[in-house]
Each structure stands twice: as C-alpha cells, then as structure tokens.
Amino acid sequence: MKTGYTGRWLYTADAAGSCVENFAMLTEDGRIVWVKPQAEAGWAEADTWVDLGDVFVTPGFIDCHVHLAGDPAKEAYESPGREAAGIVCEGAAHARQLLHAGVVACRDLGSYRGYALGIRDAVNRGFLEGPKILACGQAVCARGGHGYEISYEADGVDSMRGAVRQVIKDGADVVKLMVSGGVNSPGPEPGPCELTREEIETGIETAHAWGRKVGVHTHGNTAIRLCVEAGVDSIEHGVFMTEDIMERMAEKGTFLVPTLCAPYYAVEEGIRQEPDNPDHKKSREVLGRHRDVLKRCAEKGVRIAMGTDAGCPFNPFDKAAHEMVLMVMAGLTPKQALDAATRGGAELLELSELGSLEPGKKASFVCLKGNPLERIEAVDEIAALYLDGKEIFLG
Ligand SMILES: [Zn+2]
C-alpha cells in the first residue's frame, strides 16, 4: 500500500537540515519512499494521497530521559501506598500522553522495581498505545545513594559488575548509573560523586561488554569528569559541568541530555504548590546555570539529545515538547533544539529508522500548526500525528 502526503512545509532533519515547501511525501507500508517539492512529485505512484493541509511537518520527537512509572504529582520515586497495578496502569497512561505530545520514541531511565520494562514490552508488542520504548529497568547506584528507590545498590567493583549484569538479565536495553547526588545533596561539592572511579569504570565497561549504552545521572564536576573519561555515552543533567569537560565531550562524541524541564517544573510548579520549600528555591538558582551549560556545550560542538525527565516531581508527560522551548530560551537556535529532539535522539538511542524524514525511514511524523523554526512554541501545537504511517487519533 503506497500512501502519499502533501502539506505546506516539511523539515527533514537530514544532515543538510533541509526544509521542503509545498512538499509531497510518498510512503509504502509505513516507510518513506521519497520527499519532494510538489512540482516534482510523481502523483501516479501512490494509491491514495492525503492532504495534511497548512501544517509544518517534522520527524516525531524522541525523549531520551523519562520515568514512565514515576508519578509527577508526587515528590518521591517510591510512593508508599501505590500498588504495583496502579503504578503500571499509570505508566501505560504516561506512555500514551508522551505519544500524544509528539514523542514517537523514548528511553526510560529508571523505574520502581523495573516496572517500565513491562510497560515497554506491552507497548512495543502493540497491546498499549505509546511511543517505541527503550528502558533500563532499575538503575544502579551507591548503597543509599541518589535514586536508590529505583536502583540496585552496589558497593565495590564486584558488586557493580553484578548489578549491571543483573539489570541486563532483567531485560535492560540501556544501563543507567546514578553517579552523583542531587543538586542539594550534602558533600564536598554540588552534586557530589557517590561512586568511586573504579566502580564507574567497571559499570560502564560491563555494560559496553554486553552491548548496552550507558546514561549517567550526574550533576557535579567530579562525577561528570570520571564518567566522560570512562567512556560513558550520555551525561544526563550535567548542571555543574566545566568548560574543559565540555571540550572532552566534544572530542569523544559524548552526548549531553540536559533535561531542562526537571528544574523548570520544580521551580514553576513546586514554588506554586509549596512556597516555603527551600529545595525549590535552590532549583531556581540552578536553572540559570543549567541553561548556560547547554548553550556553551552547543557552542563547543557537544552532541545534544532531548530528554525531559518526565515522571519526576511536577514534571508532566504531556508537555514533553516544552523541553525544546526551554532549549531555545537557553540560547540554542530553534533548528538546534529540533535537531536535538529528532536526529540527536535517534543517534544516541541508535534508532536508525527514526530521527529524520528520509527514504527508508519510518513515516513517524508530527504535523504542527505553526513553523517552529520561526516560533519554537509551535512544537506544542500538534494538528496531527503519524506513527509508522498510521494516524494517531488525538483527544
Ligand atoms: Zn531522571
């Protein structure tokens, strides 16, 4: 079955960053055959043509950092009283919300008892509506360290090696290490390093030996530096990163997944709900620094992929595209933000069929009501959504 689509604008997110005005796109069985200006289209090649109207089409978004089993309404990863069935059902709803926000693929970086693995399987097998999901199951952290509620706890290199192998045995596509504390954790520096150099090296080496990429929760300078030197694939958050580390990341091709939404929602929603909580005020100070790190990383040529940290306190799934708005507020161009949310995510997650609208790729795309290259807020104004060539009914 060959279906063609026409519309006003199409951003391919290919290497050249091409934008086609008055486009025609031919697909066959959910895959793109070609994208051309309408003047050059072979109209007879499609069985049917669908006019998408006055829309701006982009590749579907990729969110490289979510917690599907998290509850944005709660403070903690572990919510006493939440039953397993409740967590899983809410997680399934979160997957659907992400999809409806234009996210066609996501990476879950830590869930209570690894429940996101089951949500991943149900969505990927077509039982539930959602984006394609990669998941780490439980993360790995130091005993009592940051995020222990959703992690295996490791002490020493043997314990770390065993924990990473256990995560992979559980079914992880990727491995997540919680390497530093939170922004407000007590220690010798902001976001203190909680694992030793040897534990970090062993964790990354073991995951790579088993063919899994590694993302690390890191805020502080020591933690980020040790992970980058040990060959980590992505630094998550990276708030207190220094210039020399950015240069090393650019050299080594290490990704930054900034998750600007995390402090943004903590500040916006947290202060509104709990005006006296000092943690939220601290997050406000961090917000400016965090944005500056992203801007300087982009200037230095660090690879950037979009991640929201949705599922953390006050951080909703249905506003995932807002991360791109925050990236532009930080100083990225709209094109850089869009590329981070499409081809950048596909490169980090090695999803070779997603991330751009080119021949051979999946017809997974978002129809926006406005042009996000002129006004980035348009990423949140979705007129229609297609996943593998099938329209998703929004509502
Ligand atoms: Zn997270």
Side-chain angles (χ1 to χ4, degrees), residues 210-394:
W210 285 70
R212 304 306 195 278
K213 286 198 170 188
V214 183
V216 286
H217 165 102
T218 42
H219 285 299
N221 205 26
T222 305
I224 301 170
R225 187 184 307 278
L226 289 173
C227 290
V228 170
E229 292 308 329
V232 75
D233 301 287
S234 64
I235 295 292
E236 310 293 313
H237 319 304
V239 171
F240 298 101
M241 187 186 295
T242 48
E243 299 265 343
D244 58 319
I245 297 178
M246 297 175 194
E247 282 154 18
R248 284 297 282 156
M249 287 173 69
E251 278 168 31
K252 292 173 78 95
T254 318
F255 274 88
L256 171 67
V257 181
T259 72
L260 299 176
C261 279
Y264 171 79
Y265 285 113
V267 169
E268 293 289 312
E269 282 300 307
I271 288 180
R272 193 175 64 77
Q273 293 184 22
E274 303 169 314
D276 299 324
N277 186 331
D279 280 357
H280 302 328
K281 292 191 175 140
K282 204 72 172 274
S283 294
R284 178 182 278 163
E285 294 163 22
V286 166
L287 202 59
R289 188 187 166 86
H290 199 180
R291 289 177 178 172
D292 193 45
V293 162
L294 172 59
K295 181 168 184 277
R296 286 186 292 153
C297 277
E299 287 165 357
K300 288 180 183 293
V302 175
R303 301 166 89 186
I304 295 161
M306 184 190 82
T308 58
D309 220 354
C312 277
F314 315 120
N315 194 338
F317 292 86
D318 56 355
K319 293 273 182 278
H322 193 66
E323 180 75 18
M324 282 177 267
V325 177
L326 296 179
M327 286 176 152
V328 171
M329 283 169 70
L332 265 59
T333 64
K335 184 178 174 301
Q336 284 175 319
L338 210 48
D339 285 346
T342 55
R343 54 183 293 121
E347 284 168 13
L348 173 58
L349 272 46
E350 292 186 330
L351 298 172
S352 59
E353 300 177 318
L354 296 172
S356 62
L357 299 174
E358 299 176 88
K361 304 263 179 166
K362 286 191 168 175
S364 292
F365 58 90
V366 185
C367 304
L368 302 172
K369 293 173 187 169
N371 182 344
L373 298 177
E374 289 171 0
R375 190 179 62 86
I376 192 65
E377 288 79 4
V379 292
D380 219 0
E381 299 160 9
I382 297 177
L385 174 65
Y386 287 76
L387 185 69
D388 301 343
K390 292 191 187 71
E391 185 170 12
I392 301 297
F393 290 94
L394 306 169

Side-chain angles (χ1 to χ4, degrees), residues 177 199-209 214 216 227 230-232:
L177 303 182
E199 287 166 339
I200 294 167
E201 288 172 351
T202 300
I204 293 172
E205 189 184 290
T206 307
H208 284 172
V214 183
V216 286
C227 290
V232 75

Side-chain angles (χ1 to χ4, degrees), residues 6-9 51-56 368-370 383:
T6 56
R8 182 86 171 92
W9 289 100
D51 183 15
L52 299 168
D54 186 17
V55 293
F56 188 104
L368 302 172
K369 293 173 187 169

Side-chain angles (χ1 to χ4, degrees), residues 159-229:
S159 174
M160 171 60 76
R161 194 180 296 111
V164 171
R165 287 177 179 164
Q166 183 63 49
V167 161
I168 294 169
K169 184 182 179 188
D170 292 347
D173 304 296
V174 295
V175 170
K176 166 81 173 295
L177 303 182
M178 299 285 197
V179 178
S180 87
V183 171
N184 302 323
S185 301
E189 60 172 329
C193 190
E194 296 181 337
L195 293 171
T196 65
R197 176 197 301 268
E198 291 74 21
E199 287 166 339
I200 294 167
E201 288 172 351
T202 300
I204 293 172
E205 189 184 290
T206 307
H208 284 172
W210 285 70
R212 304 306 195 278
K213 286 198 170 188
V214 183
V216 286
H217 165 102
T218 42
H219 285 299
N221 205 26
T222 305
I224 301 170
R225 187 184 307 278
L226 289 173
C227 290
V228 170
E229 292 308 329

Side-chain angles (χ1 to χ4, degrees), residues 21-62:
E21 188 174 4
N22 293 323
F23 72 88
M25 176 169 67
L26 181 69
T27 69
E28 182 171 18
D29 301 328
R31 275 178 202 280
I32 297 168
V33 180
W34 48 251
V35 176
K36 297 175 180 175
Q38 287 170 22
E40 299 167 19
W43 301 105
E45 291 183 52
D47 300 308
T48 52
W49 283 94
V50 176
D51 183 15
L52 299 168
D54 186 17
V55 293
F56 188 104
V57 170
T58 74
F61 308 136
I62 297 173

